[in-house]
Amino acid sequence: SARGCVNQRCWIRDGSTAYLMDQRGVYAFNGNQTKDLTSQIQGFFTGNDEFSISWGNSDLFHASHDPSTRSIRWFVSLGSSKVRFALAFNYGTQGWWLEEYSEPVTASTLAHVDGFQKAIWGGPAHRVLKSETGAVDGLPTGKTAARGSVSSARSTVLSDNNAVFIPEYAGSPVCIIEGRGK
């Protein structure tokens, strides 16, 4: 392939296909040919978007694979942030989404949890996060997920005029589970 990889932690292999991120984007490589996967999210890589990748922290960028959901996340810095965003890709549906975490995620691995392989992420102060599991997914210890309905939205803000969220939820991940944007 004429493409490269940001660092040794920015690629994942699933079967005979490798998924890699370089400064041009994300692509799949099957040993013979490459397929660019980033047409939907090219703005992150061109530097022309308000949420462009900050390559200064690229030594901390890494990919996390969750085979149970057929998802790969490339943890990156956007704007002036630390590595607390993930460009997430489902290789079954070929869909992309952006995730933001309340704290930096600088390492990942796969572990067996309840009989399945799940992604485990490392955060600050030796904190360990498990993907897609409610309270340990960045929420404060002992707090359960809160629900609401979007009253208005902008590119980086969701508002709910009817909900009251406790201060401990500030900075926690948000998941849209139904309706537009699911």
Side-chain angles (χ1 to χ4, degrees), residues 63-133:
S64 171
H65 182 213
D66 190 340
S68 66
T69 61
R70 302 184 74 188
S71 298
I72 303 170
R73 289 168 176 82
W74 282 271
F75 286 91
V76 298
S77 297
L78 298 181
S80 61
S81 76
K82 296 186 178 185
V83 182
R84 43 181 216 95
F85 289 89
L87 303 175
F89 178 69
N90 183 293
Y91 51 86
T93 64
Q94 302 289 295
W96 284 97
W97 65 96
L98 177 66
E99 297 176 346
E100 181 179 5
Y101 295 86
S102 58
E103 55 193 84
V105 179
T106 57
S108 61
T109 191
L110 279 177
H112 287 279
V113 178
D114 300 326
F116 297 97
Q117 282 191 314
K118 294 297 281 180
I120 304 292
W121 303 325
H126 305 288
R127 187 165 168 179
V128 176
L129 308 170
K130 186 170 63 166
S131 67
E132 301 178 20
T133 57

Short mmCIF file of all heavy atoms in Angstrom, two decimals, residues 63-133:
data_model
loop_
_atom_site.label_atom_id
_atom_site.label_comp_id
_atom_site.label_asym_id
_atom_site.label_seq_id
_atom_site.Cartn_x
_atom_site.Cartn_y
_atom_site.Cartn_z
N ALA A 63 -6.06 3.13 18.36
CA ALA A 63 -7.30 2.53 17.90
C ALA A 63 -7.76 1.49 18.90
O ALA A 63 -6.96 0.81 19.53
CB ALA A 63 -7.10 1.89 16.53
N SER A 64 -9.07 1.39 19.06
CA SER A 64 -9.69 0.43 19.96
C SER A 64 -10.73 -0.36 19.17
O SER A 64 -11.57 0.23 18.49
CB SER A 64 -10.37 1.19 21.12
OG SER A 64 -11.14 0.31 21.91
N HIS A 65 -10.67 -1.68 19.29
CA HIS A 65 -11.58 -2.55 18.53
C HIS A 65 -12.54 -3.25 19.48
O HIS A 65 -12.11 -3.81 20.48
CB HIS A 65 -10.74 -3.58 17.78
CG HIS A 65 -11.53 -4.50 16.91
ND1 HIS A 65 -11.16 -5.79 16.70
CD2 HIS A 65 -12.66 -4.32 16.20
CE1 HIS A 65 -12.03 -6.38 15.89
NE2 HIS A 65 -12.95 -5.51 15.58
N ASP A 66 -13.82 -3.20 19.17
CA ASP A 66 -14.82 -3.93 19.93
C ASP A 66 -15.52 -4.89 18.97
O ASP A 66 -16.45 -4.51 18.26
CB ASP A 66 -15.83 -2.98 20.57
CG ASP A 66 -16.73 -3.68 21.57
OD1 ASP A 66 -16.86 -4.92 21.51
OD2 ASP A 66 -17.32 -2.99 22.42
N PRO A 67 -15.04 -6.15 18.89
CA PRO A 67 -15.62 -7.11 17.94
C PRO A 67 -17.11 -7.37 18.16
O PRO A 67 -17.83 -7.64 17.22
CB PRO A 67 -14.81 -8.39 18.16
CG PRO A 67 -13.67 -8.04 19.02
CD PRO A 67 -13.97 -6.74 19.68
N SER A 68 -17.59 -7.27 19.40
CA SER A 68 -18.99 -7.57 19.66
C SER A 68 -19.93 -6.56 19.00
O SER A 68 -21.07 -6.88 18.69
CB SER A 68 -19.26 -7.63 21.16
OG SER A 68 -19.09 -6.37 21.76
N THR A 69 -19.47 -5.33 18.79
CA THR A 69 -20.28 -4.32 18.11
C THR A 69 -19.76 -3.99 16.71
O THR A 69 -20.29 -3.11 16.06
CB THR A 69 -20.33 -3.01 18.93
OG1 THR A 69 -19.01 -2.49 19.06
CG2 THR A 69 -20.95 -3.24 20.30
N ARG A 70 -18.69 -4.69 16.30
CA ARG A 70 -18.05 -4.48 15.00
C ARG A 70 -17.62 -3.01 14.83
O ARG A 70 -17.76 -2.43 13.78
CB ARG A 70 -18.96 -4.93 13.87
CG ARG A 70 -19.36 -6.39 14.00
CD ARG A 70 -20.18 -6.87 12.86
NE ARG A 70 -19.29 -7.03 11.71
CZ ARG A 70 -19.72 -7.29 10.50
NH1 ARG A 70 -20.99 -7.41 10.26
NH2 ARG A 70 -18.86 -7.42 9.52
N SER A 71 -17.12 -2.44 15.93
CA SER A 71 -16.75 -1.02 15.94
C SER A 71 -15.26 -0.83 16.21
O SER A 71 -14.67 -1.56 16.99
CB SER A 71 -17.54 -0.28 17.02
OG SER A 71 -18.91 -0.35 16.76
N ILE A 72 -14.71 0.18 15.57
CA ILE A 72 -13.34 0.61 15.81
C ILE A 72 -13.40 2.09 16.15
O ILE A 72 -14.12 2.86 15.51
CB ILE A 72 -12.44 0.40 14.58
CG1 ILE A 72 -12.46 -1.06 14.15
CG2 ILE A 72 -11.02 0.87 14.87
CD1 ILE A 72 -11.80 -1.32 12.81
N ARG A 73 -12.65 2.48 17.18
CA ARG A 73 -12.56 3.89 17.57
C ARG A 73 -11.11 4.32 17.47
O ARG A 73 -10.24 3.66 18.02
CB ARG A 73 -13.06 4.08 19.00
CG ARG A 73 -14.54 3.93 19.15
CD ARG A 73 -14.93 3.83 20.62
NE ARG A 73 -16.37 3.78 20.79
CZ ARG A 73 -17.09 2.66 20.66
NH1 ARG A 73 -16.49 1.51 20.39
NH2 ARG A 73 -18.40 2.69 20.81
N TRP A 74 -10.88 5.42 16.77
CA TRP A 74 -9.56 6.03 16.75
C TRP A 74 -9.61 7.22 17.71
O TRP A 74 -10.31 8.19 17.47
CB TRP A 74 -9.18 6.48 15.34
CG TRP A 74 -8.75 5.34 14.48
CD1 TRP A 74 -7.48 4.85 14.36
CD2 TRP A 74 -9.57 4.53 13.64
NE1 TRP A 74 -7.47 3.78 13.49
CE2 TRP A 74 -8.75 3.56 13.04
CE3 TRP A 74 -10.94 4.52 13.35
CZ2 TRP A 74 -9.22 2.61 12.16
CZ3 TRP A 74 -11.43 3.56 12.47
CH2 TRP A 74 -10.57 2.62 11.88
N PHE A 75 -8.89 7.12 18.82
CA PHE A 75 -8.87 8.18 19.82
C PHE A 75 -7.87 9.23 19.37
O PHE A 75 -6.69 8.92 19.12
CB PHE A 75 -8.51 7.61 21.19
CG PHE A 75 -9.65 6.83 21.80
CD1 PHE A 75 -9.77 5.47 21.59
CD2 PHE A 75 -10.62 7.48 22.57
CE1 PHE A 75 -10.82 4.76 22.13
CE2 PHE A 75 -11.67 6.77 23.11
CZ PHE A 75 -11.78 5.41 22.89
N VAL A 76 -8.34 10.48 19.27
CA VAL A 76 -7.55 11.58 18.72
C VAL A 76 -7.78 12.86 19.51
O VAL A 76 -8.70 12.94 20.33
CB VAL A 76 -7.91 11.84 17.23
CG1 VAL A 76 -7.61 10.63 16.37
CG2 VAL A 76 -9.37 12.25 17.07
N SER A 77 -6.98 13.86 19.23
CA SER A 77 -7.17 15.22 19.75
C SER A 77 -7.84 16.05 18.67
O SER A 77 -7.43 15.99 17.52
CB SER A 77 -5.84 15.87 20.11
OG SER A 77 -5.19 15.17 21.12
N LEU A 78 -8.85 16.81 19.04
CA LEU A 78 -9.49 17.73 18.11
C LEU A 78 -9.33 19.13 18.66
O LEU A 78 -9.51 19.36 19.86
CB LEU A 78 -10.97 17.41 17.95
CG LEU A 78 -11.31 16.04 17.36
CD1 LEU A 78 -12.83 15.89 17.25
CD2 LEU A 78 -10.66 15.84 16.01
N GLY A 79 -9.02 20.07 17.79
CA GLY A 79 -8.77 21.43 18.25
C GLY A 79 -7.61 21.44 19.23
O GLY A 79 -6.57 20.87 18.96
N SER A 80 -7.81 22.04 20.38
CA SER A 80 -6.73 22.11 21.37
C SER A 80 -6.90 21.07 22.47
O SER A 80 -6.23 21.14 23.49
CB SER A 80 -6.68 23.51 21.98
OG SER A 80 -7.91 23.79 22.63
N SER A 81 -7.81 20.12 22.28
CA SER A 81 -8.11 19.15 23.34
C SER A 81 -7.01 18.12 23.50
O SER A 81 -6.14 17.95 22.66
CB SER A 81 -9.41 18.42 23.02
OG SER A 81 -9.18 17.44 22.02
N LYS A 82 -7.08 17.41 24.61
CA LYS A 82 -6.26 16.22 24.80
C LYS A 82 -6.95 15.08 24.04
O LYS A 82 -7.96 15.29 23.39
CB LYS A 82 -6.12 15.91 26.28
CG LYS A 82 -5.39 17.01 27.01
CD LYS A 82 -5.13 16.65 28.43
CE LYS A 82 -4.35 17.82 29.05
NZ LYS A 82 -3.94 17.56 30.39
N VAL A 83 -6.44 13.88 24.16
CA VAL A 83 -6.99 12.73 23.43
C VAL A 83 -8.27 12.27 24.12
O VAL A 83 -8.29 11.32 24.87
CB VAL A 83 -5.95 11.59 23.34
CG1 VAL A 83 -6.49 10.42 22.54
CG2 VAL A 83 -4.67 12.10 22.71
N ARG A 84 -9.38 13.01 23.86
CA ARG A 84 -10.65 12.66 24.48
C ARG A 84 -11.80 12.60 23.48
O ARG A 84 -12.96 12.62 23.83
CB ARG A 84 -11.00 13.57 25.65
CG ARG A 84 -10.77 14.99 25.50
CD ARG A 84 -11.12 15.81 26.74
NE ARG A 84 -11.67 17.08 26.28
CZ ARG A 84 -12.94 17.34 26.13
NH1 ARG A 84 -13.84 16.46 26.44
NH2 ARG A 84 -13.34 18.50 25.69
N PHE A 85 -11.45 12.49 22.21
CA PHE A 85 -12.43 12.29 21.16
C PHE A 85 -12.13 10.97 20.46
O PHE A 85 -10.97 10.57 20.38
CB PHE A 85 -12.37 13.42 20.12
CG PHE A 85 -12.90 14.73 20.62
CD1 PHE A 85 -12.05 15.62 21.25
CD2 PHE A 85 -14.23 15.06 20.46
CE1 PHE A 85 -12.52 16.84 21.72
CE2 PHE A 85 -14.71 16.28 20.92
CZ PHE A 85 -13.86 17.17 21.55
N ALA A 86 -13.17 10.34 19.94
CA ALA A 86 -12.99 9.12 19.16
C ALA A 86 -13.74 9.26 17.85
O ALA A 86 -14.92 9.62 17.83
CB ALA A 86 -13.47 7.90 19.92
N LEU A 87 -13.03 9.00 16.75
CA LEU A 87 -13.67 8.85 15.46
C LEU A 87 -14.08 7.38 15.41
O LEU A 87 -13.23 6.49 15.37
CB LEU A 87 -12.70 9.17 14.33
CG LEU A 87 -12.08 10.56 14.35
CD1 LEU A 87 -11.05 10.70 13.23
CD2 LEU A 87 -13.15 11.63 14.24
N ALA A 88 -15.37 7.11 15.49
CA ALA A 88 -15.86 5.74 15.63
C ALA A 88 -16.45 5.25 14.31
O ALA A 88 -17.17 5.99 13.63
CB ALA A 88 -16.90 5.67 16.74
N PHE A 89 -16.15 4.00 13.97
CA PHE A 89 -16.53 3.42 12.69
C PHE A 89 -17.09 2.02 12.91
O PHE A 89 -16.48 1.21 13.61
CB PHE A 89 -15.31 3.35 11.77
CG PHE A 89 -15.55 2.73 10.44
CD1 PHE A 89 -16.32 3.36 9.48
CD2 PHE A 89 -14.97 1.50 10.12
CE1 PHE A 89 -16.52 2.79 8.23
CE2 PHE A 89 -15.17 0.92 8.87
CZ PHE A 89 -15.95 1.58 7.92
N ASN A 90 -18.25 1.75 12.35
CA ASN A 90 -18.81 0.40 12.37
C ASN A 90 -18.53 -0.21 11.01
O ASN A 90 -19.07 0.24 10.00
CB ASN A 90 -20.31 0.43 12.65
CG ASN A 90 -20.88 -0.96 12.75
OD1 ASN A 90 -20.92 -1.70 11.77
ND2 ASN A 90 -21.34 -1.31 13.93
N TYR A 91 -17.66 -1.22 10.98
CA TYR A 91 -17.28 -1.80 9.69
C TYR A 91 -18.35 -2.72 9.13
O TYR A 91 -18.27 -3.13 7.97
CB TYR A 91 -15.92 -2.48 9.75
CG TYR A 91 -15.71 -3.48 10.86
CD1 TYR A 91 -16.09 -4.81 10.73
CD2 TYR A 91 -15.12 -3.09 12.05
CE1 TYR A 91 -15.88 -5.72 11.75
CE2 TYR A 91 -14.91 -4.00 13.08
CZ TYR A 91 -15.29 -5.31 12.91
OH TYR A 91 -15.09 -6.21 13.93
N GLY A 92 -19.39 -3.03 9.89
CA GLY A 92 -20.52 -3.78 9.35
C GLY A 92 -21.44 -2.89 8.54
O GLY A 92 -21.84 -3.21 7.42
N THR A 93 -21.75 -1.71 9.08
CA THR A 93 -22.67 -0.78 8.41
C THR A 93 -21.94 0.30 7.62
O THR A 93 -22.57 1.05 6.89
CB THR A 93 -23.56 -0.07 9.44
OG1 THR A 93 -22.74 0.73 10.30
CG2 THR A 93 -24.36 -1.08 10.26
N GLN A 94 -20.62 0.41 7.81
CA GLN A 94 -19.79 1.45 7.18
C GLN A 94 -20.17 2.85 7.67
O GLN A 94 -19.95 3.84 7.00
CB GLN A 94 -19.89 1.39 5.64
CG GLN A 94 -19.46 0.06 5.04
CD GLN A 94 -17.96 -0.15 5.14
OE1 GLN A 94 -17.19 0.56 4.54
NE2 GLN A 94 -17.55 -1.15 5.91
N GLY A 95 -20.76 2.95 8.88
CA GLY A 95 -21.18 4.23 9.44
C GLY A 95 -20.15 4.82 10.38
O GLY A 95 -19.43 4.10 11.07
N TRP A 96 -20.07 6.15 10.41
CA TRP A 96 -19.16 6.91 11.26
C TRP A 96 -19.94 7.72 12.27
O TRP A 96 -21.05 8.17 12.00
CB TRP A 96 -18.34 7.89 10.43
CG TRP A 96 -17.23 7.27 9.66
CD1 TRP A 96 -17.27 6.90 8.34
CD2 TRP A 96 -15.92 6.97 10.13
NE1 TRP A 96 -16.05 6.38 7.98
CE2 TRP A 96 -15.21 6.40 9.05
CE3 TRP A 96 -15.29 7.10 11.36
CZ2 TRP A 96 -13.89 5.99 9.17
CZ3 TRP A 96 -13.97 6.68 11.48
CH2 TRP A 96 -13.29 6.14 10.38
N TRP A 97 -19.34 7.98 13.44
CA TRP A 97 -19.87 8.94 14.40
C TRP A 97 -18.71 9.45 15.25
O TRP A 97 -17.64 8.86 15.29
CB TRP A 97 -20.98 8.34 15.26
CG TRP A 97 -20.58 7.22 16.17
CD1 TRP A 97 -20.24 7.31 17.50
CD2 TRP A 97 -20.46 5.83 15.84
NE1 TRP A 97 -19.93 6.07 18.00
CE2 TRP A 97 -20.06 5.14 17.00
CE3 TRP A 97 -20.65 5.10 14.67
CZ2 TRP A 97 -19.85 3.77 17.02
CZ3 TRP A 97 -20.44 3.74 14.70
CH2 TRP A 97 -20.05 3.09 15.86
N LEU A 98 -18.93 10.57 15.90
CA LEU A 98 -17.92 11.19 16.75
C LEU A 98 -18.33 11.02 18.21
O LEU A 98 -19.49 11.25 18.55
CB LEU A 98 -17.78 12.68 16.43
CG LEU A 98 -16.81 13.49 17.29
CD1 LEU A 98 -15.37 13.03 17.09
CD2 LEU A 98 -16.95 14.97 16.99
N GLU A 99 -17.38 10.62 19.05
CA GLU A 99 -17.63 10.50 20.48
C GLU A 99 -16.69 11.44 21.22
O GLU A 99 -15.55 11.62 20.83
CB GLU A 99 -17.39 9.06 20.95
CG GLU A 99 -18.33 8.07 20.34
CD GLU A 99 -18.05 6.63 20.73
OE1 GLU A 99 -16.97 6.34 21.29
OE2 GLU A 99 -18.92 5.79 20.48
N GLU A 100 -17.20 12.05 22.30
CA GLU A 100 -16.39 12.89 23.16
C GLU A 100 -16.46 12.34 24.57
O GLU A 100 -17.53 11.97 25.05
CB GLU A 100 -16.89 14.33 23.15
CG GLU A 100 -16.06 15.25 24.03
CD GLU A 100 -16.54 16.69 24.01
OE1 GLU A 100 -17.59 16.97 23.40
OE2 GLU A 100 -15.87 17.53 24.63
N TYR A 101 -15.31 12.27 25.25
CA TYR A 101 -15.24 11.72 26.60
C TYR A 101 -14.87 12.82 27.58
O TYR A 101 -14.22 13.79 27.22
CB TYR A 101 -14.23 10.56 26.64
CG TYR A 101 -14.71 9.42 25.79
CD1 TYR A 101 -14.44 9.38 24.43
CD2 TYR A 101 -15.51 8.43 26.32
CE1 TYR A 101 -14.93 8.37 23.62
CE2 TYR A 101 -16.00 7.41 25.54
CZ TYR A 101 -15.71 7.38 24.19
OH TYR A 101 -16.21 6.38 23.41
N SER A 102 -15.28 12.65 28.81
CA SER A 102 -15.07 13.68 29.83
C SER A 102 -13.62 13.75 30.28
O SER A 102 -13.24 14.70 30.96
CB SER A 102 -15.99 13.42 31.03
OG SER A 102 -15.73 12.14 31.57
N GLU A 103 -12.83 12.76 29.94
CA GLU A 103 -11.42 12.74 30.31
C GLU A 103 -10.63 12.08 29.19
O GLU A 103 -11.20 11.38 28.35
CB GLU A 103 -11.24 11.98 31.62
CG GLU A 103 -11.82 10.58 31.60
CD GLU A 103 -11.91 9.98 32.99
OE1 GLU A 103 -12.89 10.25 33.68
OE2 GLU A 103 -10.98 9.26 33.36
N PRO A 104 -9.31 12.31 29.14
CA PRO A 104 -8.51 11.70 28.07
C PRO A 104 -8.54 10.17 28.14
O PRO A 104 -8.58 9.59 29.22
CB PRO A 104 -7.10 12.22 28.34
CG PRO A 104 -7.29 13.45 29.16
CD PRO A 104 -8.52 13.21 29.98
N VAL A 105 -8.52 9.55 26.98
CA VAL A 105 -8.43 8.10 26.86
C VAL A 105 -7.15 7.83 26.07
O VAL A 105 -7.08 8.10 24.88
CB VAL A 105 -9.65 7.50 26.13
CG1 VAL A 105 -9.51 5.99 25.99
CG2 VAL A 105 -10.94 7.86 26.86
N THR A 106 -6.12 7.35 26.76
CA THR A 106 -4.80 7.26 26.13
C THR A 106 -4.30 5.84 25.91
O THR A 106 -3.16 5.66 25.47
CB THR A 106 -3.77 8.04 26.97
OG1 THR A 106 -3.77 7.52 28.29
CG2 THR A 106 -4.10 9.52 27.00
N ALA A 107 -5.11 4.83 26.22
CA ALA A 107 -4.70 3.45 25.99
C ALA A 107 -5.94 2.58 25.87
O ALA A 107 -7.00 2.93 26.37
CB ALA A 107 -3.83 2.96 27.15
N SER A 108 -5.78 1.45 25.22
CA SER A 108 -6.90 0.52 25.10
C SER A 108 -6.39 -0.90 24.88
O SER A 108 -5.26 -1.11 24.45
CB SER A 108 -7.81 0.92 23.94
OG SER A 108 -7.10 0.90 22.72
N THR A 109 -7.26 -1.86 25.21
CA THR A 109 -6.96 -3.27 24.98
C THR A 109 -8.28 -4.02 24.90
O THR A 109 -9.34 -3.46 25.16
CB THR A 109 -6.06 -3.85 26.11
OG1 THR A 109 -5.59 -5.13 25.72
CG2 THR A 109 -6.81 -3.92 27.42
N LEU A 110 -8.22 -5.29 24.53
CA LEU A 110 -9.39 -6.16 24.54
C LEU A 110 -9.32 -7.06 25.76
O LEU A 110 -8.25 -7.54 26.13
CB LEU A 110 -9.44 -7.03 23.29
CG LEU A 110 -9.99 -6.41 22.02
CD1 LEU A 110 -9.89 -7.39 20.86
CD2 LEU A 110 -11.43 -5.97 22.20
N ALA A 111 -10.47 -7.30 26.39
CA ALA A 111 -10.53 -8.18 27.55
C ALA A 111 -11.79 -9.04 27.44
O ALA A 111 -12.76 -8.65 26.78
CB ALA A 111 -10.58 -7.36 28.84
N HIS A 112 -11.77 -10.20 28.07
CA HIS A 112 -12.96 -11.04 28.13
C HIS A 112 -13.83 -10.58 29.29
O HIS A 112 -13.40 -10.59 30.44
CB HIS A 112 -12.58 -12.51 28.28
CG HIS A 112 -12.01 -13.08 27.02
ND1 HIS A 112 -12.80 -13.52 25.99
CD2 HIS A 112 -10.74 -13.26 26.62
CE1 HIS A 112 -12.04 -13.94 25.01
NE2 HIS A 112 -10.77 -13.79 25.36
N VAL A 113 -15.06 -10.14 28.98
CA VAL A 113 -16.00 -9.66 29.99
C VAL A 113 -17.33 -10.37 29.72
O VAL A 113 -17.88 -10.26 28.63
CB VAL A 113 -16.20 -8.13 29.90
CG1 VAL A 113 -17.21 -7.65 30.91
CG2 VAL A 113 -14.87 -7.41 30.06
N ASP A 114 -17.82 -11.09 30.72
CA ASP A 114 -19.10 -11.80 30.60
C ASP A 114 -19.14 -12.69 29.36
O ASP A 114 -20.16 -12.78 28.68
CB ASP A 114 -20.27 -10.82 30.58
CG ASP A 114 -20.36 -9.97 31.83
OD1 ASP A 114 -20.01 -10.50 32.91
OD2 ASP A 114 -20.76 -8.81 31.73
N GLY A 115 -18.01 -13.33 29.05
CA GLY A 115 -17.96 -14.25 27.92
C GLY A 115 -17.76 -13.62 26.56
O GLY A 115 -17.78 -14.30 25.54
N PHE A 116 -17.59 -12.30 26.50
CA PHE A 116 -17.39 -11.60 25.24
C PHE A 116 -16.11 -10.80 25.29
O PHE A 116 -15.67 -10.36 26.35
CB PHE A 116 -18.56 -10.62 24.96
CG PHE A 116 -19.88 -11.30 24.82
CD1 PHE A 116 -20.76 -11.38 25.89
CD2 PHE A 116 -20.26 -11.86 23.61
CE1 PHE A 116 -21.98 -12.00 25.77
CE2 PHE A 116 -21.49 -12.49 23.47
CZ PHE A 116 -22.35 -12.56 24.55
N GLN A 117 -15.52 -10.56 24.11
CA GLN A 117 -14.39 -9.64 24.05
C GLN A 117 -14.94 -8.23 24.06
O GLN A 117 -15.81 -7.89 23.26
CB GLN A 117 -13.57 -9.87 22.79
CG GLN A 117 -12.67 -11.06 22.85
CD GLN A 117 -11.72 -11.06 21.67
OE1 GLN A 117 -12.11 -10.84 20.53
NE2 GLN A 117 -10.45 -11.30 21.94
N LYS A 118 -14.46 -7.39 24.97
CA LYS A 118 -14.89 -6.00 25.07
C LYS A 118 -13.67 -5.09 25.12
O LYS A 118 -12.62 -5.47 25.63
CB LYS A 118 -15.72 -5.77 26.34
CG LYS A 118 -17.05 -6.50 26.37
CD LYS A 118 -18.00 -6.04 25.30
CE LYS A 118 -18.68 -4.75 25.65
NZ LYS A 118 -19.61 -4.27 24.66
N ALA A 119 -13.84 -3.89 24.65
CA ALA A 119 -12.77 -2.90 24.70
C ALA A 119 -12.66 -2.34 26.11
O ALA A 119 -13.66 -2.01 26.74
CB ALA A 119 -13.03 -1.78 23.70
N ILE A 120 -11.44 -2.24 26.60
CA ILE A 120 -11.14 -1.63 27.90
C ILE A 120 -10.23 -0.45 27.62
O ILE A 120 -9.24 -0.58 26.90
CB ILE A 120 -10.43 -2.62 28.85
CG1 ILE A 120 -11.27 -3.89 29.04
CG2 ILE A 120 -10.11 -1.96 30.18
CD1 ILE A 120 -12.56 -3.68 29.78
N TRP A 121 -10.55 0.71 28.19
CA TRP A 121 -9.78 1.92 27.93
C TRP A 121 -9.11 2.41 29.19
O TRP A 121 -9.65 2.30 30.29
CB TRP A 121 -10.70 3.01 27.38
CG TRP A 121 -11.44 2.61 26.15
CD1 TRP A 121 -10.99 1.81 25.14
CD2 TRP A 121 -12.76 3.00 25.79
NE1 TRP A 121 -11.95 1.68 24.17
CE2 TRP A 121 -13.05 2.40 24.55
CE3 TRP A 121 -13.72 3.78 26.39
CZ2 TRP A 121 -14.26 2.57 23.89
CZ3 TRP A 121 -14.92 3.95 25.75
CH2 TRP A 121 -15.18 3.35 24.51
N GLY A 122 -7.95 3.04 29.03
CA GLY A 122 -7.23 3.63 30.15
C GLY A 122 -7.39 5.13 30.16
O GLY A 122 -7.26 5.79 29.13
N GLY A 123 -7.67 5.66 31.34
CA GLY A 123 -7.83 7.09 31.52
C GLY A 123 -6.81 7.63 32.51
O GLY A 123 -5.89 6.91 32.92
N PRO A 124 -6.94 8.87 32.94
CA PRO A 124 -6.00 9.47 33.88
C PRO A 124 -6.05 8.78 35.25
O PRO A 124 -7.06 8.18 35.62
CB PRO A 124 -6.47 10.92 34.01
CG PRO A 124 -7.51 11.12 32.98
CD PRO A 124 -7.97 9.79 32.52
N ALA A 125 -4.98 8.90 35.98
CA ALA A 125 -4.88 8.39 37.36
C ALA A 125 -5.23 6.91 37.44
O ALA A 125 -5.93 6.47 38.34
CB ALA A 125 -5.76 9.22 38.30
N HIS A 126 -4.78 6.15 36.47
CA HIS A 126 -4.97 4.70 36.43
C HIS A 126 -6.43 4.29 36.37
O HIS A 126 -6.79 3.18 36.73
CB HIS A 126 -4.29 4.02 37.62
CG HIS A 126 -2.84 4.34 37.73
ND1 HIS A 126 -1.91 3.83 36.87
CD2 HIS A 126 -2.17 5.15 38.58
CE1 HIS A 126 -0.71 4.30 37.19
NE2 HIS A 126 -0.85 5.11 38.23
N ARG A 127 -7.29 5.18 35.92
CA ARG A 127 -8.72 4.87 35.81
C ARG A 127 -8.95 3.98 34.59
O ARG A 127 -8.40 4.20 33.52
CB ARG A 127 -9.51 6.16 35.67
CG ARG A 127 -10.98 5.92 35.72
CD ARG A 127 -11.74 7.17 35.95
NE ARG A 127 -13.14 6.83 35.69
CZ ARG A 127 -14.11 7.64 35.80
NH1 ARG A 127 -13.89 8.87 36.18
NH2 ARG A 127 -15.33 7.28 35.54
N VAL A 128 -9.78 2.95 34.75
CA VAL A 128 -10.10 2.02 33.68
C VAL A 128 -11.56 2.17 33.31
O VAL A 128 -12.44 2.19 34.17
CB VAL A 128 -9.80 0.56 34.10
CG1 VAL A 128 -10.21 -0.41 33.02
CG2 VAL A 128 -8.33 0.41 34.44
N LEU A 129 -11.84 2.30 32.01
CA LEU A 129 -13.20 2.45 31.50
C LEU A 129 -13.52 1.26 30.61
O LEU A 129 -12.66 0.79 29.87
CB LEU A 129 -13.33 3.74 30.68
CG LEU A 129 -12.85 5.02 31.36
CD1 LEU A 129 -12.81 6.16 30.36
CD2 LEU A 129 -13.77 5.36 32.51
N LYS A 130 -14.76 0.80 30.66
CA LYS A 130 -15.21 -0.28 29.80
C LYS A 130 -16.23 0.28 28.83
O LYS A 130 -17.17 0.96 29.24
CB LYS A 130 -15.80 -1.40 30.65
CG LYS A 130 -16.17 -2.64 29.85
CD LYS A 130 -16.52 -3.81 30.75
CE LYS A 130 -17.73 -3.51 31.58
NZ LYS A 130 -18.32 -4.68 32.21
N SER A 131 -16.10 0.00 27.55
CA SER A 131 -16.98 0.59 26.55
C SER A 131 -18.42 0.12 26.70
O SER A 131 -18.67 -1.02 27.08
CB SER A 131 -16.47 0.25 25.15
OG SER A 131 -16.58 -1.13 24.90
N GLU A 132 -19.34 1.03 26.41
CA GLU A 132 -20.77 0.77 26.31
C GLU A 132 -21.37 0.05 27.51
O GLU A 132 -22.14 -0.90 27.36
CB GLU A 132 -21.04 -0.03 25.04
CG GLU A 132 -20.58 0.74 23.81
CD GLU A 132 -20.80 -0.01 22.53
OE1 GLU A 132 -21.61 -0.93 22.50
OE2 GLU A 132 -20.14 0.36 21.56
N THR A 133 -21.03 0.50 28.73
CA THR A 133 -21.58 -0.18 29.90
C THR A 133 -22.14 0.78 30.94
O THR A 133 -22.04 0.53 32.13
CB THR A 133 -20.50 -1.06 30.56
OG1 THR A 133 -19.39 -0.23 30.88
CG2 THR A 133 -20.09 -2.19 29.68
#
